[in-house]
Amino acid sequence: MENRPGLGSGRASQPQDMAIDHQYKDIENGPSELEKPFIQQAKRVDSDEEIDENGSILMVLLSTCVAVCGSFEFGSCVGYSSPTQSAIREDLKLSLSQFSMFGSIITIGAMIGAITSGRIADFIGRKGAMRMSAVFCITGWLAVFFSMEAYLLDIGRFCTGYGIGIFSYVVPVFIAEIAPKNLRGGLATLNQLMIVCGASVAYILGTVITWRTLALTGLLPCILLLVGLFFIPESPRWLAKVGLQKEFEFALRKLRGKDADVSHEAAEIQASIDSLQDLPKVRMLDLFDAKYMRPLIIGVGLMVFQQFGGINGIGFYSSETFVAAGFSSGKIGTISYAIIQVPITVVGALLMDKSGRRPLLMGEALLIEWVPVLAVSGVLVYIAAFSIGMGAVPWVIMSEIFPIHVKGVAGSLVVLVNWLGAWAVSYTFNFLMSWSSTGTFSIYAGFCALTVVFVAKIVPETKGKTLEQIQASINS
């Protein structure tokens, strides 16, 4: 049974739905734009269409800014342990193994958060999931702040891990579902930008304030998020999915502007939702069905290549890498690492909807192959390349390729794979480096070369398409 938006809704006799159905048939017949070479000439956009899509850009930007407070929180949690290691160990008399448990237990919480994130976001909505994540993170930071022993410290770290595990799924999905198609890539890239901003701020603040004060700064993004959620609409696609028709129409109009014509977009979304109503509830094993196999391979594959390019090994142990390269202190390298991520990720956000997703993925992977021979400069080139390509784009594509009725389950699996890969790379990095530094970076470069092949052969270009058009083309 094909899963194509606009079919099976029982409303094809209406002129508007016939137009939608005709539109998707045009996509499915002949060479789809998602399958064309990734270097293409720019397509002219009618001015009326552009005005409709940008009718209320202010509300879209506000909603995105509120959501990426969760991304900043993500980065703050990940970056917290690096600058605080010596101070926490000294104040609480922790052994190296106890602090290692504190540092790594966040990934355990994040894995559990990833497993449950899709179901939670489908059950209580995108905004509800973000609220829940913020509450877990606030609880975790308070536990860290008041901890006098390793036990409470670990509980706090686990809670923040669970919170960011949900954030890592729901934030890019929410942004993708509210943004107009011509802005979706750039806005979704703000997710990665705020992650690296959060981590960079934690790295830098951790050198000048105490570890308890740094824990309190982690509360600020959560508080801003909880307040901001009162002023932005829920995802229209989720509202349509759960049958809240009036709320769906109100949210869509609020996002596109009171004077914008949203009838076509609303009908397109509703037709897609209607076509899914008779489908059975999707379980994890159902994702391996043939009709979901391609988006699953794309989503999982990108996360595997993102992590096994070595980013968490480089990031977690950047100080030691710079010391080994000849610097007297790792602080110079750590600050350079923190600073370079932010402007380069901004460049990636600007390029996302101009050059497309595939060129950024492939160009980034080619640059990383130089890392083994560039030493210190190679590490900075690596971080810059990762920030502009593989750091952001896989999250954008993950939020675009799955139909809404499987997005929860599929997204949970994809995010879980990402966190498993993060743990595997960070755990094995020191062992590999003790074996051979050249061999370690050569392995990472090999995965980067495979990334180029994978993107060229399998990953579609999604720039400038609605979510429904992307899924219709993949299914065809």
Side-chain angles (χ1 to χ4, degrees), residues 56-70 127 130 171 174-175 178-180 183 187 190 224-225 227-233 254-255:
S56 183
I57 188 62
L58 184 61
M59 180 52 69
V60 173
L61 289 176
L62 175 62
S63 300
T64 302
C65 289
V66 171
V68 296
C69 288
K127 288 173 61 176
M130 286 188 278
V171 172
F174 176 76
I175 295 172
I178 66 168
L183 298 176
L187 292 178
L190 292 178
L224 289 175
L225 176 71
V227 173
L229 287 174
F230 286 105
F231 300 97
I232 64 173
K254 191 172 183 180
L255 287 165

PDB file of all heavy atoms in Angstrom, residues 56-70 127 130 171 174-175 178-180 183 187 190 224-225 227-233 254-255:
ATOM      1  N   SER A  56       4.057  35.883   7.804  1.00  0.00           N
ATOM      2  CA  SER A  56       4.228  36.235   9.215  1.00  0.00           C
ATOM      3  C   SER A  56       5.560  35.687   9.706  1.00  0.00           C
ATOM      4  O   SER A  56       5.618  34.865  10.605  1.00  0.00           O
ATOM      5  CB  SER A  56       3.085  35.667  10.054  1.00  0.00           C
ATOM      6  OG  SER A  56       3.220  36.058  11.406  1.00  0.00           O
ATOM      7  N   ILE A  57       6.631  36.135   9.046  1.00  0.00           N
ATOM      8  CA  ILE A  57       7.949  35.628   9.387  1.00  0.00           C
ATOM      9  C   ILE A  57       8.304  35.920  10.835  1.00  0.00           C
ATOM     10  O   ILE A  57       9.064  35.176  11.460  1.00  0.00           O
ATOM     11  CB  ILE A  57       9.005  36.235   8.431  1.00  0.00           C
ATOM     12  CG1 ILE A  57      10.377  35.574   8.634  1.00  0.00           C
ATOM     13  CG2 ILE A  57       9.091  37.732   8.611  1.00  0.00           C
ATOM     14  CD1 ILE A  57      10.395  34.109   8.331  1.00  0.00           C
ATOM     15  N   LEU A  58       7.733  36.974  11.401  1.00  0.00           N
ATOM     16  CA  LEU A  58       8.040  37.331  12.787  1.00  0.00           C
ATOM     17  C   LEU A  58       7.627  36.226  13.744  1.00  0.00           C
ATOM     18  O   LEU A  58       8.387  35.856  14.645  1.00  0.00           O
ATOM     19  CB  LEU A  58       7.346  38.643  13.151  1.00  0.00           C
ATOM     20  CG  LEU A  58       7.657  39.196  14.550  1.00  0.00           C
ATOM     21  CD1 LEU A  58       9.151  39.487  14.679  1.00  0.00           C
ATOM     22  CD2 LEU A  58       6.848  40.459  14.823  1.00  0.00           C
ATOM     23  N   MET A  59       6.412  35.666  13.559  1.00  0.00           N
ATOM     24  CA  MET A  59       5.958  34.598  14.445  1.00  0.00           C
ATOM     25  C   MET A  59       6.770  33.325  14.245  1.00  0.00           C
ATOM     26  O   MET A  59       7.074  32.606  15.205  1.00  0.00           O
ATOM     27  CB  MET A  59       4.472  34.319  14.230  1.00  0.00           C
ATOM     28  CG  MET A  59       3.915  33.212  15.122  1.00  0.00           C
ATOM     29  SD  MET A  59       4.256  33.439  16.900  1.00  0.00           S
ATOM     30  CE  MET A  59       3.205  34.850  17.260  1.00  0.00           C
ATOM     31  N   VAL A  60       7.140  33.033  13.011  1.00  0.00           N
ATOM     32  CA  VAL A  60       7.981  31.858  12.745  1.00  0.00           C
ATOM     33  C   VAL A  60       9.335  32.025  13.431  1.00  0.00           C
ATOM     34  O   VAL A  60       9.845  31.088  14.066  1.00  0.00           O
ATOM     35  CB  VAL A  60       8.160  31.646  11.232  1.00  0.00           C
ATOM     36  CG1 VAL A  60       9.177  30.534  10.969  1.00  0.00           C
ATOM     37  CG2 VAL A  60       6.831  31.288  10.583  1.00  0.00           C
ATOM     38  N   LEU A  61       9.911  33.209  13.327  1.00  0.00           N
ATOM     39  CA  LEU A  61      11.204  33.466  13.970  1.00  0.00           C
ATOM     40  C   LEU A  61      11.091  33.398  15.486  1.00  0.00           C
ATOM     41  O   LEU A  61      11.971  32.841  16.160  1.00  0.00           O
ATOM     42  CB  LEU A  61      11.743  34.834  13.550  1.00  0.00           C
ATOM     43  CG  LEU A  61      12.220  34.965  12.106  1.00  0.00           C
ATOM     44  CD1 LEU A  61      12.634  36.399  11.808  1.00  0.00           C
ATOM     45  CD2 LEU A  61      13.378  34.016  11.835  1.00  0.00           C
ATOM     46  N   LEU A  62      10.021  33.961  16.047  1.00  0.00           N
ATOM     47  CA  LEU A  62       9.825  33.904  17.492  1.00  0.00           C
ATOM     48  C   LEU A  62       9.696  32.461  17.962  1.00  0.00           C
ATOM     49  O   LEU A  62      10.313  32.058  18.962  1.00  0.00           O
ATOM     50  CB  LEU A  62       8.583  34.703  17.884  1.00  0.00           C
ATOM     51  CG  LEU A  62       8.182  34.639  19.368  1.00  0.00           C
ATOM     52  CD1 LEU A  62       9.286  35.219  20.246  1.00  0.00           C
ATOM     53  CD2 LEU A  62       6.869  35.369  19.614  1.00  0.00           C
ATOM     54  N   SER A  63       8.890  31.682  17.247  1.00  0.00           N
ATOM     55  CA  SER A  63       8.702  30.277  17.612  1.00  0.00           C
ATOM     56  C   SER A  63      10.014  29.512  17.542  1.00  0.00           C
ATOM     57  O   SER A  63      10.325  28.681  18.411  1.00  0.00           O
ATOM     58  CB  SER A  63       7.665  29.636  16.690  1.00  0.00           C
ATOM     59  OG  SER A  63       6.418  30.289  16.777  1.00  0.00           O
ATOM     60  N   THR A  64      10.805  29.803  16.514  1.00  0.00           N
ATOM     61  CA  THR A  64      12.105  29.136  16.372  1.00  0.00           C
ATOM     62  C   THR A  64      13.047  29.536  17.493  1.00  0.00           C
ATOM     63  O   THR A  64      13.744  28.691  18.066  1.00  0.00           O
ATOM     64  CB  THR A  64      12.726  29.481  15.007  1.00  0.00           C
ATOM     65  OG1 THR A  64      11.838  29.079  13.957  1.00  0.00           O
ATOM     66  CG2 THR A  64      14.056  28.776  14.825  1.00  0.00           C
ATOM     67  N   CYS A  65      13.063  30.833  17.821  1.00  0.00           N
ATOM     68  CA  CYS A  65      13.939  31.300  18.895  1.00  0.00           C
ATOM     69  C   CYS A  65      13.581  30.662  20.237  1.00  0.00           C
ATOM     70  O   CYS A  65      14.472  30.318  21.031  1.00  0.00           O
ATOM     71  CB  CYS A  65      13.866  32.823  19.007  1.00  0.00           C
ATOM     72  SG  CYS A  65      14.643  33.700  17.647  1.00  0.00           S
ATOM     73  N   VAL A  66      12.298  30.504  20.493  1.00  0.00           N
ATOM     74  CA  VAL A  66      11.875  29.842  21.729  1.00  0.00           C
ATOM     75  C   VAL A  66      12.326  28.388  21.734  1.00  0.00           C
ATOM     76  O   VAL A  66      12.880  27.891  22.724  1.00  0.00           O
ATOM     77  CB  VAL A  66      10.346  29.939  21.894  1.00  0.00           C
ATOM     78  CG1 VAL A  66       9.879  29.061  23.056  1.00  0.00           C
ATOM     79  CG2 VAL A  66       9.918  31.384  22.133  1.00  0.00           C
ATOM     80  N   ALA A  67      12.112  27.693  20.612  1.00  0.00           N
ATOM     81  CA  ALA A  67      12.466  26.273  20.552  1.00  0.00           C
ATOM     82  C   ALA A  67      13.962  26.042  20.726  1.00  0.00           C
ATOM     83  O   ALA A  67      14.388  25.110  21.423  1.00  0.00           O
ATOM     84  CB  ALA A  67      11.985  25.678  19.231  1.00  0.00           C
ATOM     85  N   VAL A  68      14.790  26.903  20.110  1.00  0.00           N
ATOM     86  CA  VAL A  68      16.237  26.675  20.182  1.00  0.00           C
ATOM     87  C   VAL A  68      16.825  27.052  21.535  1.00  0.00           C
ATOM     88  O   VAL A  68      18.028  26.835  21.755  1.00  0.00           O
ATOM     89  CB  VAL A  68      16.980  27.399  19.043  1.00  0.00           C
ATOM     90  CG1 VAL A  68      16.577  26.840  17.691  1.00  0.00           C
ATOM     91  CG2 VAL A  68      16.780  28.908  19.110  1.00  0.00           C
ATOM     92  N   CYS A  69      16.024  27.577  22.443  1.00  0.00           N
ATOM     93  CA  CYS A  69      16.484  27.655  23.843  1.00  0.00           C
ATOM     94  C   CYS A  69      16.783  26.246  24.351  1.00  0.00           C
ATOM     95  O   CYS A  69      17.704  26.044  25.157  1.00  0.00           O
ATOM     96  CB  CYS A  69      15.426  28.322  24.717  1.00  0.00           C
ATOM     97  SG  CYS A  69      15.243  30.096  24.474  1.00  0.00           S
ATOM     98  N   GLY A  70      15.993  25.265  23.880  1.00  0.00           N
ATOM     99  CA  GLY A  70      16.264  23.871  24.216  1.00  0.00           C
ATOM    100  C   GLY A  70      17.569  23.395  23.625  1.00  0.00           C
ATOM    101  O   GLY A  70      18.293  22.592  24.235  1.00  0.00           O
ATOM    102  N   LYS A 127       5.165  21.123  21.891  1.00  0.00           N
ATOM    103  CA  LYS A 127       5.348  22.058  22.996  1.00  0.00           C
ATOM    104  C   LYS A 127       5.335  21.336  24.338  1.00  0.00           C
ATOM    105  O   LYS A 127       6.131  21.654  25.233  1.00  0.00           O
ATOM    106  CB  LYS A 127       4.256  23.126  22.971  1.00  0.00           C
ATOM    107  CG  LYS A 127       4.393  24.134  21.840  1.00  0.00           C
ATOM    108  CD  LYS A 127       3.196  25.078  21.762  1.00  0.00           C
ATOM    109  CE  LYS A 127       3.019  25.895  23.016  1.00  0.00           C
ATOM    110  NZ  LYS A 127       1.908  26.869  22.894  1.00  0.00           N
ATOM    111  N   MET A 130       8.685  19.740  24.888  1.00  0.00           N
ATOM    112  CA  MET A 130       9.711  20.715  25.273  1.00  0.00           C
ATOM    113  C   MET A 130       9.545  21.155  26.728  1.00  0.00           C
ATOM    114  O   MET A 130      10.542  21.345  27.448  1.00  0.00           O
ATOM    115  CB  MET A 130       9.675  21.914  24.325  1.00  0.00           C
ATOM    116  CG  MET A 130      10.254  21.613  22.946  1.00  0.00           C
ATOM    117  SD  MET A 130      10.444  23.066  21.876  1.00  0.00           S
ATOM    118  CE  MET A 130       8.776  23.219  21.223  1.00  0.00           C
ATOM    119  N   VAL A 171      13.132  19.473  19.033  1.00  0.00           N
ATOM    120  CA  VAL A 171      13.408  20.827  18.544  1.00  0.00           C
ATOM    121  C   VAL A 171      13.510  20.879  17.016  1.00  0.00           C
ATOM    122  O   VAL A 171      12.817  21.676  16.375  1.00  0.00           O
ATOM    123  CB  VAL A 171      14.666  21.410  19.214  1.00  0.00           C
ATOM    124  CG1 VAL A 171      15.065  22.735  18.548  1.00  0.00           C
ATOM    125  CG2 VAL A 171      14.422  21.637  20.700  1.00  0.00           C
ATOM    126  N   PHE A 174       9.994  20.233  15.495  1.00  0.00           N
ATOM    127  CA  PHE A 174       9.081  21.368  15.651  1.00  0.00           C
ATOM    128  C   PHE A 174       9.400  22.473  14.647  1.00  0.00           C
ATOM    129  O   PHE A 174       8.499  23.018  13.996  1.00  0.00           O
ATOM    130  CB  PHE A 174       9.180  21.908  17.080  1.00  0.00           C
ATOM    131  CG  PHE A 174       8.361  23.145  17.330  1.00  0.00           C
ATOM    132  CD1 PHE A 174       6.986  23.063  17.481  1.00  0.00           C
ATOM    133  CD2 PHE A 174       8.960  24.402  17.416  1.00  0.00           C
ATOM    134  CE1 PHE A 174       6.217  24.212  17.711  1.00  0.00           C
ATOM    135  CE2 PHE A 174       8.214  25.554  17.641  1.00  0.00           C
ATOM    136  CZ  PHE A 174       6.834  25.448  17.789  1.00  0.00           C
ATOM    137  N   ILE A 175      10.682  22.795  14.497  1.00  0.00           N
ATOM    138  CA  ILE A 175      11.068  23.851  13.563  1.00  0.00           C
ATOM    139  C   ILE A 175      10.690  23.468  12.137  1.00  0.00           C
ATOM    140  O   ILE A 175      10.162  24.291  11.375  1.00  0.00           O
ATOM    141  CB  ILE A 175      12.575  24.146  13.670  1.00  0.00           C
ATOM    142  CG1 ILE A 175      12.905  24.721  15.052  1.00  0.00           C
ATOM    143  CG2 ILE A 175      13.015  25.119  12.575  1.00  0.00           C
ATOM    144  CD1 ILE A 175      14.392  24.863  15.318  1.00  0.00           C
ATOM    145  N   ILE A 178       6.898  23.949  11.470  1.00  0.00           N
ATOM    146  CA  ILE A 178       6.289  25.285  11.484  1.00  0.00           C
ATOM    147  C   ILE A 178       6.840  26.192  10.397  1.00  0.00           C
ATOM    148  O   ILE A 178       6.203  27.182  10.035  1.00  0.00           O
ATOM    149  CB  ILE A 178       6.477  25.988  12.848  1.00  0.00           C
ATOM    150  CG1 ILE A 178       7.958  26.284  13.110  1.00  0.00           C
ATOM    151  CG2 ILE A 178       5.862  25.169  13.980  1.00  0.00           C
ATOM    152  CD1 ILE A 178       8.188  27.206  14.277  1.00  0.00           C
ATOM    153  N   ALA A 179       8.019  25.870   9.852  1.00  0.00           N
ATOM    154  CA  ALA A 179       8.692  26.794   8.946  1.00  0.00           C
ATOM    155  C   ALA A 179       8.167  26.674   7.520  1.00  0.00           C
ATOM    156  O   ALA A 179       7.853  25.575   7.060  1.00  0.00           O
ATOM    157  CB  ALA A 179      10.201  26.525   8.966  1.00  0.00           C
ATOM    158  N   PRO A 180       8.073  27.784   6.783  1.00  0.00           N
ATOM    159  CA  PRO A 180       7.787  27.705   5.354  1.00  0.00           C
ATOM    160  C   PRO A 180       8.946  27.026   4.641  1.00  0.00           C
ATOM    161  O   PRO A 180      10.090  27.088   5.108  1.00  0.00           O
ATOM    162  CB  PRO A 180       7.646  29.175   4.941  1.00  0.00           C
ATOM    163  CG  PRO A 180       8.370  29.948   5.971  1.00  0.00           C
ATOM    164  CD  PRO A 180       8.229  29.181   7.247  1.00  0.00           C
ATOM    165  N   LEU A 183      12.433  28.618   3.993  1.00  0.00           N
ATOM    166  CA  LEU A 183      13.250  29.013   5.146  1.00  0.00           C
ATOM    167  C   LEU A 183      13.574  27.843   6.059  1.00  0.00           C
ATOM    168  O   LEU A 183      14.319  28.009   7.021  1.00  0.00           O
ATOM    169  CB  LEU A 183      12.519  30.087   5.971  1.00  0.00           C
ATOM    170  CG  LEU A 183      12.207  31.414   5.274  1.00  0.00           C
ATOM    171  CD1 LEU A 183      11.400  32.306   6.199  1.00  0.00           C
ATOM    172  CD2 LEU A 183      13.483  32.110   4.834  1.00  0.00           C
ATOM    173  N   LEU A 187      16.417  27.860   9.179  1.00  0.00           N
ATOM    174  CA  LEU A 187      15.893  27.916  10.546  1.00  0.00           C
ATOM    175  C   LEU A 187      16.245  26.658  11.322  1.00  0.00           C
ATOM    176  O   LEU A 187      16.570  26.726  12.513  1.00  0.00           O
ATOM    177  CB  LEU A 187      14.375  28.119  10.508  1.00  0.00           C
ATOM    178  CG  LEU A 187      13.893  29.480   9.997  1.00  0.00           C
ATOM    179  CD1 LEU A 187      12.363  29.514   9.973  1.00  0.00           C
ATOM    180  CD2 LEU A 187      14.432  30.617  10.851  1.00  0.00           C
ATOM    181  N   LEU A 190      19.586  26.568  12.947  1.00  0.00           N
ATOM    182  CA  LEU A 190      19.736  27.282  14.219  1.00  0.00           C
ATOM    183  C   LEU A 190      19.787  26.314  15.392  1.00  0.00           C
ATOM    184  O   LEU A 190      20.340  26.643  16.448  1.00  0.00           O
ATOM    185  CB  LEU A 190      18.584  28.272  14.401  1.00  0.00           C
ATOM    186  CG  LEU A 190      18.558  29.467  13.444  1.00  0.00           C
ATOM    187  CD1 LEU A 190      17.335  30.335  13.722  1.00  0.00           C
ATOM    188  CD2 LEU A 190      19.830  30.292  13.565  1.00  0.00           C
ATOM    189  N   LEU A 224      13.589  30.579  30.030  1.00  0.00           N
ATOM    190  CA  LEU A 224      13.187  31.313  28.829  1.00  0.00           C
ATOM    191  C   LEU A 224      12.275  30.467  27.948  1.00  0.00           C
ATOM    192  O   LEU A 224      11.289  30.961  27.381  1.00  0.00           O
ATOM    193  CB  LEU A 224      14.424  31.751  28.046  1.00  0.00           C
ATOM    194  CG  LEU A 224      15.276  32.858  28.673  1.00  0.00           C
ATOM    195  CD1 LEU A 224      16.534  33.096  27.838  1.00  0.00           C
ATOM    196  CD2 LEU A 224      14.482  34.150  28.796  1.00  0.00           C
ATOM    197  N   LEU A 225      12.596  29.179  27.839  1.00  0.00           N
ATOM    198  CA  LEU A 225      11.781  28.274  27.027  1.00  0.00           C
ATOM    199  C   LEU A 225      10.380  28.142  27.604  1.00  0.00           C
ATOM    200  O   LEU A 225       9.377  28.258  26.872  1.00  0.00           O
ATOM    201  CB  LEU A 225      12.451  26.903  26.949  1.00  0.00           C
ATOM    202  CG  LEU A 225      11.679  25.811  26.215  1.00  0.00           C
ATOM    203  CD1 LEU A 225      11.650  26.083  24.717  1.00  0.00           C
ATOM    204  CD2 LEU A 225      12.282  24.441  26.484  1.00  0.00           C
ATOM    205  N   VAL A 227       8.700  30.134  29.548  1.00  0.00           N
ATOM    206  CA  VAL A 227       7.941  31.373  29.389  1.00  0.00           C
ATOM    207  C   VAL A 227       7.554  31.574  27.929  1.00  0.00           C
ATOM    208  O   VAL A 227       6.401  31.899  27.595  1.00  0.00           O
ATOM    209  CB  VAL A 227       8.749  32.582  29.905  1.00  0.00           C
ATOM    210  CG1 VAL A 227       8.024  33.887  29.579  1.00  0.00           C
ATOM    211  CG2 VAL A 227       8.985  32.459  31.409  1.00  0.00           C
ATOM    212  N   GLY A 228       8.495  31.349  27.015  1.00  0.00           N
ATOM    213  CA  GLY A 228       8.249  31.582  25.605  1.00  0.00           C
ATOM    214  C   GLY A 228       7.184  30.692  25.011  1.00  0.00           C
ATOM    215  O   GLY A 228       6.477  31.099  24.071  1.00  0.00           O
ATOM    216  N   LEU A 229       7.036  29.478  25.529  1.00  0.00           N
ATOM    217  CA  LEU A 229       6.047  28.549  24.986  1.00  0.00           C
ATOM    218  C   LEU A 229       4.619  29.050  25.145  1.00  0.00           C
ATOM    219  O   LEU A 229       3.719  28.596  24.417  1.00  0.00           O
ATOM    220  CB  LEU A 229       6.192  27.171  25.660  1.00  0.00           C
ATOM    221  CG  LEU A 229       7.418  26.352  25.239  1.00  0.00           C
ATOM    222  CD1 LEU A 229       7.530  25.088  26.090  1.00  0.00           C
ATOM    223  CD2 LEU A 229       7.357  25.992  23.758  1.00  0.00           C
ATOM    224  N   PHE A 230       4.383  29.974  26.061  1.00  0.00           N
ATOM    225  CA  PHE A 230       3.042  30.536  26.224  1.00  0.00           C
ATOM    226  C   PHE A 230       2.668  31.468  25.072  1.00  0.00           C
ATOM    227  O   PHE A 230       1.493  31.774  24.876  1.00  0.00           O
ATOM    228  CB  PHE A 230       2.948  31.310  27.549  1.00  0.00           C
ATOM    229  CG  PHE A 230       2.893  30.426  28.766  1.00  0.00           C
ATOM    230  CD1 PHE A 230       4.002  30.279  29.584  1.00  0.00           C
ATOM    231  CD2 PHE A 230       1.735  29.729  29.081  1.00  0.00           C
ATOM    232  CE1 PHE A 230       3.955  29.473  30.715  1.00  0.00           C
ATOM    233  CE2 PHE A 230       1.678  28.916  30.199  1.00  0.00           C
ATOM    234  CZ  PHE A 230       2.792  28.784  31.012  1.00  0.00           C
ATOM    235  N   PHE A 231       3.639  31.915  24.308  1.00  0.00           N
ATOM    236  CA  PHE A 231       3.396  32.941  23.292  1.00  0.00           C
ATOM    237  C   PHE A 231       3.488  32.424  21.857  1.00  0.00           C
ATOM    238  O   PHE A 231       3.340  33.207  20.925  1.00  0.00           O
ATOM    239  CB  PHE A 231       4.387  34.100  23.479  1.00  0.00           C
ATOM    240  CG  PHE A 231       4.290  34.760  24.814  1.00  0.00           C
ATOM    241  CD1 PHE A 231       5.150  34.405  25.852  1.00  0.00           C
ATOM    242  CD2 PHE A 231       3.328  35.731  25.059  1.00  0.00           C
ATOM    243  CE1 PHE A 231       5.068  35.011  27.092  1.00  0.00           C
ATOM    244  CE2 PHE A 231       3.232  36.342  26.296  1.00  0.00           C
ATOM    245  CZ  PHE A 231       4.096  35.979  27.323  1.00  0.00           C
ATOM    246  N   ILE A 232       3.732  31.142  21.677  1.00  0.00           N
ATOM    247  CA  ILE A 232       3.881  30.612  20.321  1.00  0.00           C
ATOM    248  C   ILE A 232       2.878  29.484  20.095  1.00  0.00           C
ATOM    249  O   ILE A 232       2.416  28.851  21.050  1.00  0.00           O
ATOM    250  CB  ILE A 232       5.313  30.091  20.073  1.00  0.00           C
ATOM    251  CG1 ILE A 232       5.645  28.901  20.990  1.00  0.00           C
ATOM    252  CG2 ILE A 232       6.324  31.220  20.260  1.00  0.00           C
ATOM    253  CD1 ILE A 232       6.980  28.245  20.674  1.00  0.00           C
ATOM    254  N   PRO A 233       2.516  29.216  18.847  1.00  0.00           N
ATOM    255  CA  PRO A 233       1.542  28.160  18.558  1.00  0.00           C
ATOM    256  C   PRO A 233       2.177  26.775  18.556  1.00  0.00           C
ATOM    257  O   PRO A 233       3.391  26.635  18.428  1.00  0.00           O
ATOM    258  CB  PRO A 233       1.042  28.523  17.157  1.00  0.00           C
ATOM    259  CG  PRO A 233       2.199  29.231  16.524  1.00  0.00           C
ATOM    260  CD  PRO A 233       2.872  29.989  17.637  1.00  0.00           C
ATOM    261  N   LYS A 254      -1.716  31.845  12.306  1.00  0.00           N
ATOM    262  CA  LYS A 254      -0.867  32.651  13.183  1.00  0.00           C
ATOM    263  C   LYS A 254       0.584  32.638  12.692  1.00  0.00           C
ATOM    264  O   LYS A 254       1.299  33.648  12.779  1.00  0.00           O
ATOM    265  CB  LYS A 254      -0.944  32.118  14.612  1.00  0.00           C
ATOM    266  CG  LYS A 254      -0.322  33.039  15.662  1.00  0.00           C
ATOM    267  CD  LYS A 254      -0.611  32.542  17.066  1.00  0.00           C
ATOM    268  CE  LYS A 254      -0.046  33.494  18.120  1.00  0.00           C
ATOM    269  NZ  LYS A 254      -0.316  33.032  19.496  1.00  0.00           N
ATOM    270  N   LEU A 255       1.023  31.500  12.163  1.00  0.00           N
ATOM    271  CA  LEU A 255       2.390  31.378  11.671  1.00  0.00           C
ATOM    272  C   LEU A 255       2.586  32.054  10.319  1.00  0.00           C
ATOM    273  O   LEU A 255       3.674  32.546  10.023  1.00  0.00           O
ATOM    274  CB  LEU A 255       2.778  29.892  11.553  1.00  0.00           C
ATOM    275  CG  LEU A 255       3.024  29.159  12.863  1.00  0.00           C
ATOM    276  CD1 LEU A 255       3.031  27.660  12.647  1.00  0.00           C
ATOM    277  CD2 LEU A 255       4.342  29.612  13.497  1.00  0.00           C
TER     278      LEU A 255
END
